[in-house]
Amino acid sequence: MTNLLLDLPPLSAARFASIENRVARLLGTGQDVLITQGEALLPLEGAIRAAAGPGTTALNVITGPYGQTFGDWLRDCGATVIDLTVPFHTAVTAEQVRDAFAEHPEIDFVSLVHAEAATGNTNPVAAIGEVVREHGALFYLDAVASVGAEPVLPDAWGVDLCVIGAQKAMGGPAGVSAVSVSERAWARMAANPHAPRRSYLSLLDWKERWIDGGRKALLHAPAQLEMLALEACVERIEAEGLEAVMARHASAAAATRAGALALGGGIAPYVRDAADAAPVATTLRAPDGTTASDLVARASAADPGLPLAAGGGALAREMIRVNHYGPDATRGTVRACLTALATALSDAGVPVDLAAGLAAAERAWA
C-alpha cells in the first residue's frame, strides 16, 4: 500500500530550522523561535515552569479559562500569584495592570492571554506591554488564538515569552506549536533551579542542544507530518499576505456581530464593546428563554460542519460561539452560520429577520 503521508524521507535539521525562520518572520521577531513538538499546551506549560518558581510574584490576568489554567500552573511552581480577573464579556485595561503593580510592586512576572477564543474577547497587549516594561517584569503571552487574526508583535510589545499555535487563525495543524524567547527569559530560566530538565517540557534542553549548537542536530525525531503541514500553512499565509489574512478575520468578526444584532429576537454579542471583541471568533448571548447548547444543536442539525459551538461549562446555557477562523473566515461561512442560527431561533419560537441579518453582515464586511 502506498500513501502520500507514508514513507517520507526524514525531516532534516536544516528543513526544521528553515520552518522556524519562517515562523519568526511571521512574528516579526529577532528573538529565538523554537517549534515545539506538541499542541500549544506544551510550550504554554513549559514556559511557565521554566521561568517561574519559588520567589516569583506573578500577576496572572484572567479574561477567560486559559488565564485560570495559567494561575494553577504558577501556583504549582511555588510562585506567589496575584489574579487580576475581569468579566469575560470585556477586556483588561493597561490601567488595571498599572494599578496592580502599584499595589504589588514586587510583581516580576505577568501572564496574559491575547485573544480568548473561548469567550471572544481580546486584550490590548501593546498598551499592557508598556506598563510591564516600565516595571521590568517578565512578560508571558498566549497568542495561540490571535496569531493570524490580528497583529502579534513580541519585539515591539516587549513580550519575553510568546506562544503561538497554528490550528486557529493560521489554518494549520494542531500538533506543533512555537514559542519566541527573549534573552531575558532565557536568563531567567537558566537561573531557575526548578526549571524542567531532561523532560518533554524542557525549553532549556532545546536551547542548549539545538539553538546553542547552531541548529545542526535535532534532539529527537520530529513530528514530521505536522512540521510539513506547518510549513505549508505558513507558505499559504505568505502567498495571501498576512495583512490580507488578518483583514479577512476582522471582516468576518464585524459581519457576524452586525448580522447577529440585525437578526433581532434578543440575540446579542456576548462581548459588549466591539473594541474588546476578538477577530478570531465571535461569541453571542442566547436570547432569554432559550439555551445556547440547544440552539447550537438545532443550528448544526442540517450542517454539522458549521463552525458553531456552545460555551464551555456554565457558559453552555448562555453563550454561542461562531469560530470564523482560518479557512472559515469567509463571507460564505458567516452567511451560513447566521442562516442556521436564524432557523434554530425560529424553531425555538423566537421571531427573527434573516434578510435583515444577512444584509447587515454584507454591509459590515470591509
Side-chain angles (χ1 to χ4, degrees):
M1 177 181 178
T2 60
N3 188 295
L4 291 175
L5 303 180
L6 300 175
D7 304 320
L8 297 172
L11 190 74
S12 68
R15 183 86 169 266
F16 193 106
S18 74
I19 300 171
E20 285 184 334
N21 291 341
R22 294 174 87 159
V23 172
R25 288 196 295 273
L26 185 70
L27 296 174
T29 183
Q31 298 178 1
D32 289 328
V33 169
L34 175 64
I35 295 178
T36 46
Q37 303 295 284
E39 199 270 339
L41 282 172
L42 171 65
L44 285 169
E45 182 176 359
I48 280 181
R49 294 193 180 278
T56 299
T57 300
L59 175 64
N60 180 51
V61 181
I62 301 176
T63 58
Y66 279 100
Q68 294 170 328
T69 298
F70 300 160
D72 292 340
W73 287 339
L74 286 161
R75 290 183 178 90
D76 191 49
C77 290
T80 299
V81 182
I82 298 153
D83 287 326
L84 171 54
T85 305
V86 303
F88 291 178
H89 63 257
T90 187
V92 72
T93 67
E95 195 57 36
Q96 288 173 305
V97 174
R98 191 182 302 278
D99 290 345
F101 272 107
E103 187 174 353
H104 301 279
E106 69 275 20
I107 292 170
D108 61 358
F109 185 98
V110 175
S111 52
L112 174 70
V113 177
H114 187 185
E116 287 269 12
T119 50
N121 53 28
T122 192
N123 292 303
V125 182
I128 292 169
E130 290 185 14
V131 177
V132 176
R133 282 199 302 275
E134 288 172 10
H135 291 83
L138 206 72
F139 193 9
Y140 164 101
L141 183 69
D142 171 355
V144 173
S146 55
V147 64
E150 55 187 307
V152 175
L153 303 168
D155 295 8
W157 297 343
V159 178
D160 296 289
L161 291 158
C162 181
V163 176
I164 67 167
Q167 69 267 34
K168 289 190 167 65
M170 288 177 66
V176 288
S177 45
V179 55
S180 65
V181 187
S182 72
E183 288 300 322
R184 290 197 326 141
W186 284 131
R188 177 79 70 96
M189 294 180 202
N192 180 9
H194 301 279
R197 302 306 300 262
R198 297 170 296 282
S199 161
Y200 207 62
L201 289 173
S202 177
L203 299 182
L204 281 172
D205 286 353
W206 275 94
K207 173 176 168 45
E208 293 173 0
R209 297 172 57 192
W210 169 244
I211 296 174
D212 292 350
R215 299 192 295 177
K216 302 294 186 185
L218 290 162
L219 273 66
H220 50 70
Q224 175 147 314
L225 294 179
E226 287 81 0
M227 287 296 295
L228 294 175
L230 177 60
E231 183 180 50
C233 158
V234 175
E235 285 178 352
R236 187 166 61 183
I237 292 172
E238 291 170 347
E240 182 178 354
L242 180 58
E243 292 297 327
V245 174
M246 292 190 295
R248 220 172 8 92
H249 284 81
S251 293
T256 302
R257 188 179 183 91
L261 280 168
L263 285 178
I267 192 166
Y270 186 84
V271 177
R272 295 173 185 172
D273 189 337
D276 295 337
V280 70
T282 297
T283 48
L284 304 170
R285 193 177 296 276
D288 292 341
T290 67
T291 301
S293 56
D294 174 64
L295 290 174
V296 169
R298 291 173 184 265
S300 302
D303 185 357
L306 288 175
L308 294 170
L315 294 175
R317 293 192 58 81
E318 61 179 330
M319 180 191 286
I320 299 166
R321 194 169 73 240
V322 184
N323 295 317
H324 45 66
Y325 54 68
D328 287 322
T330 65
R331 275 185 171 90
T333 296
V334 172
R335 290 178 62 87
C337 288
L338 290 173
T339 300
L341 288 173
T343 300
L345 288 164
S346 295
D347 290 347
V350 179
V352 293
D353 188 340
L354 176 58
L358 294 178
E362 187 61 32
R363 288 192 300 271
W365 190 283

